[in-house]
Amino acid sequence: MTETTIGVGGAAEGTDMVLNIGPQHPSTHGVLRLRLVLDGERIRSAEPIVGYMHRGAEKLFEARDYRQIVMLANRHDWLSAFSNELGVVLSVERMLGMEVPERAVWTRTLLAELNRVLNHLMFLGSYPLELGGITPIFYAFAERENLQHVMEEVSGGRMHYMFNRVGGLKEDLPHGWTGRARQAVAGVRSRMGRFDDLVLGNEIFRGRTRGVGVLSREHVHAYGVSGPIARGSGVDFDLRRDEPYLAYGELAGTLKVVTRTEGDCLARFEVLLEQTHNALDLADACLDRLAELPQGPINQRLPKVLKAPEGHTYAWTENPLGINGYYLVSKGEKTPYRMKLRSASYNNIQTLAVLLPGTLVADMVAILGSMFFVVGDVDK
């Protein structure tokens, strides 16, 4: 086989062309490089090359105490900051054998679902943009602003909330906040139909996504794919239902695990959209439960120097983009000996090696955008 690298010289007829997509910003959330081998307009092989945004978070965990590592944890997936914090503090609490107050459990669940909606709205708006539809991104950002107002009010941060603490949350909810949060949720829900009309009802969008980038169940299991992408291929698995944490065990009547069987770009988008509707319903259910709870503590009192006992533990959460795992090893000191992150985006992006071969170059961005990843989550 003869290969010609584009940019070096003219390609002789009948040879394969090697095309580098990136590492500049290829219509994705971060810096990724794809090495494609082309046969005309068709992709013969694809290799996702990661590491351009490597943050070294896992190594930095070892030099920070258990309060400080929360700051590092909420940045690798900058669209899911609250959920990232949550997994870290859950693993530390499991190591300590600590029970958090009921009020903190329900508030964490509420904020995790609001964070899920914020994450999904970004992709619901940016994916059509990558296919040439500019209008949905404006609606998506308008709805994100409505929810970010209430998240900023409660935490003080717009993207990096720093609101989780080992033992609960930083502080109690502001007076009247639940009412404002309920109004924001109702407002977003009332306008979600725009995405059905503008995107799913658009024949060009459906033509670009139906039957394109089909991911099989076998490849989902082989690559450890999770979240909306896996459920778009018919894998009916969601940690919130199958291994409940926080208050999800009591929300079984509201929680809906959305699946599709087609496994194509359109199925993944439909799962994401329907899952957003369900996250809004879960947020309402949490607000109802918080209204019934008596006033009480929102966190546990901690010693001035917090040390986890010697040992190891593993906690995992259903993050907006899929399963995040946290393997914590402690030597009994105030800093982790090791904190290994299993991020959803890393596994999800590896499937491009089997999704892209055989497809047209014109479909590459459609497939890439439907994988719903954040590059910082890949290169943590």
Side-chain angles (χ1 to χ4, degrees), residues 226-365:
S226 58
I229 299 173
R231 290 191 283 274
S233 296
V235 177
D236 187 10
F237 181 73
D238 190 313
L239 282 177
R240 296 174 296 170
R241 179 199 63 192
D242 300 322
E243 192 172 316
Y245 58 98
L246 294 181
Y248 289 114
E250 299 181 50
L251 292 169
T254 307
L255 176 62
K256 179 182 178 183
V257 180
V258 184
T259 60
R260 294 290 188 274
T261 57
E262 295 83 359
D264 56 12
C265 297
L266 180 60
R268 291 190 280 274
F269 186 86
E270 288 177 342
V271 168
L272 201 73
L273 179 57
E274 196 170 337
Q275 192 168 282
T276 307
H277 284 283
N278 186 240
L280 292 168
D281 294 338
L282 289 167
D284 267 341
C286 292
L287 286 166
D288 291 340
R289 180 66 175 132
L290 282 171
E292 299 170 356
L293 290 177
Q295 289 296 320
I298 200 76
N299 49 39
Q300 295 274 24
R301 292 183 64 87
L302 299 177
K304 186 175 181 179
V305 177
L306 179 63
K307 294 183 178 181
E310 187 170 352
H312 60 92
T313 191
Y314 184 79
W316 55 349
T317 58
E318 186 69 41
N319 270 40
L321 297 180
I323 293 175
N324 271 27
Y326 306 83
Y327 179 59
L328 171 62
V329 181
S330 171
K331 293 290 188 180
E333 302 296 332
K334 65 178 182 179
T335 61
Y337 178 77
R338 182 79 167 93
M339 172 72 90
K340 169 64 178 169
L341 297 182
R342 187 271 188 205
S343 60
S345 296
Y346 181 83
N347 292 70
N348 294 351
I349 202 65
Q350 304 307 317
T351 58
L352 292 172
V354 295
L355 272 182
L356 291 177
T359 65
L360 296 172
V361 176
D363 291 328
M364 185 269 297
V365 172

Side-chain angles (χ1 to χ4, degrees), residues 13-326:
E13 185 177 354
T15 65
D16 293 310
M17 177 185 292
V18 178
L19 178 64
N20 281 293
I21 307 295
Q24 72 274 9
H25 196 296
S27 299
T28 65
H29 303 278
V31 184
L32 173 73
R33 176 184 168 201
L34 291 177
R35 184 180 183 275
L36 308 179
V37 177
L38 307 181
D39 181 7
E41 289 295 313
R42 200 164 292 278
I43 299 172
R44 290 193 55 180
S45 67
E47 180 187 2
I49 301 173
V50 302
Y52 291 94
M53 288 188 65
H54 184 53
R55 310 171 72 88
E58 293 180 348
K59 194 65 181 175
L60 289 172
F61 284 151
E62 300 170 14
R64 306 291 192 277
D65 66 33
Y66 288 106
R67 293 179 174 90
Q68 294 169 329
I69 61 175
V70 175
M71 178 275 294
L72 293 168
N74 70 15
R75 281 164 166 75
H76 57 89
D77 175 2
W78 46 80
L79 297 178
S80 311
F82 185 87
S83 301
N84 298 340
E85 300 172 12
L86 182 62
V88 168
V89 296
L90 287 176
S91 66
V92 179
E93 288 163 3
R94 178 172 293 186
M95 182 74 88
L96 293 167
M98 179 182 291
E99 294 270 342
V100 303
E102 185 180 14
R103 189 171 180 79
V105 171
W106 282 96
T107 305
R108 280 177 171 180
T109 310
L110 166 63
L111 296 176
E113 291 306 310
L114 292 178
N115 194 197
R116 192 181 309 276
V117 177
L118 283 169
N119 175 288
H120 291 356
L121 280 171
M122 175 63 80
F123 290 104
L124 292 174
S126 65
Y127 185 42
L129 178 66
E130 291 161 8
L131 298 180
I134 192 171
T135 307
I137 192 71
F138 297 121
Y139 288 123
F141 268 92
E143 303 310 329
R144 276 175 55 85
E145 282 300 311
N146 292 326
L147 291 178
Q148 280 188 313
H149 283 320
V150 295
M151 293 291 282
E152 184 177 7
E153 181 186 359
V154 74
S155 67
R158 280 181 56 82
M159 289 187 67
H160 305 304
Y161 304 111
M162 282 299 295
F163 199 57
N164 276 290
R165 295 291 187 273
V166 176
L169 295 168
K170 176 185 174 184
E171 56 196 10
D172 209 344
L173 303 174
H175 179 70
W177 181 86
T178 55
R180 292 186 288 276
R182 195 183 293 276
Q183 290 176 358
V185 169
V188 172
R189 181 188 289 108
S190 69
R191 294 181 290 270
M192 284 298 295
R194 291 169 172 172
F195 293 97
D196 290 287
D197 300 334
L198 281 173
V199 185
L200 288 182
N202 186 295
E203 62 182 44
I204 298 175
F205 178 83
R206 300 183 75 87
R208 290 291 308 276
T209 56
R210 184 190 285 115
V212 175
V214 177
L215 180 64
S216 67
R217 288 171 58 96
E218 291 73 24
H219 283 134
V220 167
H221 294 308
Y223 283 85
V225 176
S226 58
I229 299 173
R231 290 191 283 274
S233 296
V235 177
D236 187 10
F237 181 73
D238 190 313
L239 282 177
R240 296 174 296 170
R241 179 199 63 192
D242 300 322
E243 192 172 316
Y245 58 98
L246 294 181
Y248 289 114
E250 299 181 50
L251 292 169
T254 307
L255 176 62
K256 179 182 178 183
V257 180
V258 184
T259 60
R260 294 290 188 274
T261 57
E262 295 83 359
D264 56 12
C265 297
L266 180 60
R268 291 190 280 274
F269 186 86
E270 288 177 342
V271 168
L272 201 73
L273 179 57
E274 196 170 337
Q275 192 168 282
T276 307
H277 284 283
N278 186 240
L280 292 168
D281 294 338
L282 289 167
D284 267 341
C286 292
L287 286 166
D288 291 340
R289 180 66 175 132
L290 282 171
E292 299 170 356
L293 290 177
Q295 289 296 320
I298 200 76
N299 49 39
Q300 295 274 24
R301 292 183 64 87
L302 299 177
K304 186 175 181 179
V305 177
L306 179 63
K307 294 183 178 181
E310 187 170 352
H312 60 92
T313 191
Y314 184 79
W316 55 349
T317 58
E318 186 69 41
N319 270 40
L321 297 180
I323 293 175
N324 271 27
Y326 306 83

